[in-house]
Structure formats: C-alpha cells, structure tokens
Amino acid sequence: MSGSVSRFTLALGLAAVVLSLVTLVGLPTPLQAVTATAVLVLLPGQALARLTPVTDAALGALLVLALGLATLTAVSTAMFYLAVWSWQACVVTMGAITVLACLARARTEASS
Amino acid sequence: MTRTLDAPSRTGRRWKPRDVGCAVAGAASLALAAGAASTVAVPVDSDLGLLAVLPYPFWVGVVLLNVAFAVALRGDDAGPARRPVMLWLIAVLVLMLFGTAAFVTDIPRGEVAFRHLGIADALSTTQGINPDIDAYFNWPGFFALLATILGATGLDPVAVALWAPVFNMSLWLAAMGVLTRYLTRDPRRRWLALWLFCLGNWQDQDYLSPQAFGFFLYLVVIALLVGPLAARTPVFAGFKRTALEWWWRERSPAEPRQAHRVSAIAVVILLVAVICASHQLTPFMLLIAMIALTLSGRVWPSRLPLITAVLLSLWLVYPASAYLVGHPPLEDAGLLAAAEANVVDRVSGTAGHLVVVQVRMALTVVLWLLAAAGALRDWRRGRLDIRVVLLAVSPLVLFPAQAYGGEMLIRVSLFALPFVAVQACSVLLPRHRGWRPSAGAAAGLALTCSMLALLTVTGRFGNAQYDVFTDGEMAAVAAAQRLAPPGSAIISAAHPTPWRSDSYLEHKYRTIDELCQTDLSAEVCGPLVYNYARHNPAGAVLLLTRSSEASLVLQGATSERGFAELEDWLGAQNGVEFVFGNDDARAYRVAP
C-alpha cells in the first residue's frame, strides 16, 4: 500500500533549505537569532523526532529540543576536532541533516 | 512510544474565576518581585547577600505567588486549576527565583559564566581543540555548541549568560514535566514536584555551563528510561537464585512496540555520547542511575549501562586522555576527604556567610526529610515507587569517589533533587492520591513553600556581596586585559573576578589566594605574588577588585585591614606601577 508525503514533511524540508540560506546571508540581530535557532536546533530536532514514532505530544516536544541540541553539539564538536569548524558550516550541515531526515520520513510516508 | 498514563483532563472546561484570580495573582507577584529587585543597589554590601537588601515587596510577591499556587493546586474535585494557569505560575516562579539577579543588574552573576564565554571564544578563534590547554578542552561539547550558537545568532554573549539560569531552568522543568508523567498519574503531585524542584534549587548550577546542559540531557534520558524503555516486573519472590532468575525472566516491556523501543534506544545513545563529550561528572551520574534502574528490573534494555560504560570509557581513554594522565579520577577518593572538602572547608567565614551556608544545608536536609517521610508513608500504603527512591539515592554513591573541588555534595544534591521533590509530594498532599487537599492543608502548603522560597533565595543569592559585579569592576577587568601584554599574567585577589571572557589563551590567569594558599599576610604572601609577577617573562597586571576582596574576607581568608596591608606592600615594590583605578577596583602593572 502506498501513501503520499505529508505537507508537514515537505514544509519542514523546504523551511530548512530556505532558512539556512537566509541565516547564511544574514539578517538584523533579533531576526538572525530566530532563524539561526530554528535552523540549528528546532528544525533538525523536529525532523529527527519525527523519525521516532512518538505518540505523546509532551515527549515529542521534549525530544525536539533534546535531539536538536544534542545533534548540534555532536556536529559542532566533530567539526572542531576535524579543524573545519565555522558557524556557517554548522548551519549548512544542520540544514542537510534536516533535509535528510525529512527524506527518510517521506520515504516511510510514501511506503505506508 | 509509550503513551503516558491517563490523567484527568481539564481541556474544554470553561475558565473559572478562581483560575483567573490565580493567574492575575501570579502576574501581580511577578510585578512586585521584579519591581522590588530592580531597586536593589549594586554592589550588595551584606554578607547575607540579597536577603538583606531585597525590599519587602519582593517577599510579598513571593508569598502571594505561593498562596496562588496552593489555591490553584487545590483546585476543585476534578483536579487542580487549568494547565495554562499552572504553567504560568511556574513560569513566574522561575523568573522570580532564577531571574532575580537579572532584575538587579545587567551583568551576569558569578565568574564562571565569563570563563565559559571565553572558552567558546577561544574555540571559535583557534577553530580547533588542543586538549593540553586545560580540562575544558578535554570535554568541549558544550563549548562547541555555545560557539556555534553565539556565532550564528549574533546574540550578545553577556546577555546570553545573564538569562542562562532562566533558560536552563525552563529546559530542566520541561524534561522533569515529561519525566513525572511517567512516575505518577496524579496531576497535583506532578505540579507540586515541579514547584518543589524550583524551591529546592539553591545549588546555583543553572548558569551558562556544561553541567546545566548535561543535567538537561540527563533528565531526558531518565524520562526515556522510565517511559518508553521501562519494564514491568512481577511480584518480587525473594533473593534465592531461582526466584531471582524467574523474576528477571518474567519482566515485560512497558512499551510493547519494538520499533518504538529501538528508536528510544537510539536517542538515548546519542544523548549519552553528547553528555560524555560535554561534562566530566554527568555521565557517571547517569551510569549509576542506569545501573540502579536496570538492576531493579525497571528498564527493559538491560545492556544500556554497558553501552554507556563503553562510550564513557572511550571518551576517557581518547579525547580526555590528556587531562586524565595528570588527574587520575579516584585521586582524592574517600569519605573523609570528601566530607572535609565538601562540608568542613565550606563552614568558615563571617557570621552572615555562615548563616547562608547553614541555610543551604538546612534546605537540603528539610527536603530530604520530607522525601523520607513521604517514602515511609508510601511504603506503609504499599505504593512506594522504587524508581523514585533509587534515582534520589543513587547520586550519593559518587560522593566519596571524588571531592570535585569541594563541589561534589552540591552536584549530588542537584541530581537527587528532582526525585527528592517527587517523593516529598507524598507527605505534602493528601494520603489518598487524587484527593483534593483541604483548605487547611493548602494553607500549610502555601506556608511551607513560602518558607522554602525564603531559604532558597537566601542560599542561592547568599554570595551576592562577591558574585554580583559592578560596572566599575567590569571596566577594571577590561582595562587589565587591555594593559596586559600577550603572555603576561593577570593576577586577581580571588576567583570571583569577571575575567577571561575574551583573550582566554593570551594570558596566564592566577589569583593571590591560589599563589599564597593559607597565609595572605603582607609579609608572607606579598613576596610570593611579587616574585611570581616579576619572574613572568612578560610581566603581570595585578587586579584588585571589590568582589574578590569581599570573597576573601567573607570566607575568612583575610581581613579588610590585612588585605589593605597586602596591597600597600605590593604597591610599594620596585617595578610596580598603579595604572587604573575606580571606586570598585585597582590595577597595577608589574614590570618583568
């Protein structure tokens, strides 16, 4: 049985691409803080949390934060150890992680 | 993943006047507390800290908020007040207790947050990790995160450090809110546990720090262990081998869907790895908690402690090996040494400071006694949740293992606090779970919580005389860092100095109390400091701030007169030149 990819998955992936670009181009400080937080923590956290079959909203929301922060920590630390760190590289990587997680989710949705 | 236990839902019910009243009372108490705190003059000139200088409207706000909470918690026969009201009251409590200092001053409290900003800055500058610099560069996870967030968001690092306690406390409460849903189905118990967790949190570990981040992840992992990864156990049949084997075999997963458990395990492994990379102590606390829960049969994947131990060992033997070569983990182990470093060494100083130290101990003891009474009550009724007891007690195992710079008891009490708070609820709420507290019980609860709030503010802000900095001190630190040539030493009187937030790697940072250890007299300490400064190839800048002096006096290391004599002696030496001064600080350049 095959299904269709949900709009939320598409929106999440698209938002990751657009906001990553916007963050890299730069915005005035308060807006930059909002977009950077979304790209670095919230969107990847949401995309990764959706790969886990969470049914409880509170646990799901907590996982968004925990997974977003933990993944960003892992990515940033690895980049420092590899001596390739820059915050721009982190933005690109977290955007890519979000898109990949959305693709994985889309594949599941399409096959269900 | 596992659905949480069903709880009475109040969604869809109309707002009641009582709920609206509680919400308004919360707003009024916040206005009172924030308004009162913003009138406090800096520097704080009392060895009792903020307790002595906060005007009475602050305390009116504290009492009003606790009364509003007790009324909201009592609610009606259907349960406590609506969820938005309870959340709002908790948000106000967080702002009141953890944002107080931010209402008083726009400079972050305490030295360590500045140092952590400096480490993140050093990482961004060097763009690599040199583990030989110091311990922080052996556990760089949190600092890598901080460097990335500060770089990408463009936020002011000082503002981030200023509001970090409120942010961290919110993260902790979010995790604890989910965690308590798996521990109890009584909504009153859950809200009260969150409230007590705030009121008992004098440990002051919620500043911009790796331990605050690690503690958040710790709570998330525990939530997963008692939630999707929990196991159901049969009735315990005794300690005979056959009985134990039967008991272990008969366990069943609380979450029947294997895919859900596997995803939860994957999340736990990621979080454990990040915890191992971010903080020295937290993975050990987590490992002990995991072992305790697994041995009690309450966690389904029994190999998780082994996986955690492997990840932790790998981190210690490779990325953290540079630090561990010179600092064996059990170097200062022993109950006696731990007691001396954590208790005896801290009970010294001026009369006011001693009161503050005793208040911290009293608050911890009171909460533990309430939890013990609650545990006894639950045990008598046959409903003691062994998971809560194990999670409260297991951090104690680490107490004799490491002095941890005299901070192990603080850390142990923090890791135990969420579960002590949950267990204490059993004695503060009616015997029958889900029953509405009487008006008298609610009044008693409001009084108890108000007293705990008084103790927490006293304990938490008891060092305000030396951990709340002035603009003058900030200007002096900036001047010292500007005047000190690269490679030179900057010598402060003691550690509460808001330095190292930039040029972390450019200077050697030393303090007079470290150089002189126990005797800070001009005759003994003066030559030690002077010789150290003179023999440094690039010279030194001597920075004497009001807060560092207050710290030494308050903790009994010297007197105001003794400190003045030391400064006079140093100022009179050859090659020592006065280069900067204001009401709160002086700086001297020492030529090499």
Side-chain angles (χ1 to χ4, degrees), chain A residues 32 53 55-56 59 76 80 85, chain B residues 1 123 148 152 181-182 260 263:
Chain A
Q32 176 76 4
T55 51
D56 176 48
L59 180 61
S76 305
F80 273 115
W85 179 89
Chain B
M1 291 187 190
L123 278 178
T148 305
R181 283 156 63 94
Y182 293 113
H260 294 203
S263 64

Side-chain angles (χ1 to χ4, degrees), chain B residues 287-355:
Chain B
L287 181 60
I288 289 171
M290 263 186 191
I291 291 171
L293 286 175
T294 305
L295 289 180
S296 72
R298 304 309 167 107
V299 172
W300 178 245
S302 53
R303 291 193 181 92
L304 267 183
L306 180 66
I307 295 169
T308 301
V310 168
L311 286 172
L312 175 56
S313 305
L314 285 175
W315 190 269
L316 292 179
V317 298
Y318 184 57
S321 59
Y323 180 79
L324 288 176
V325 165
H327 305 83
L330 298 175
E331 190 178 23
D332 53 358
L335 195 58
L336 211 61
E340 193 170 324
N342 287 273
V343 184
V344 179
D345 289 354
R346 287 180 171 264
V347 188
S348 61
T350 64
H353 183 67
L354 284 178
V355 169

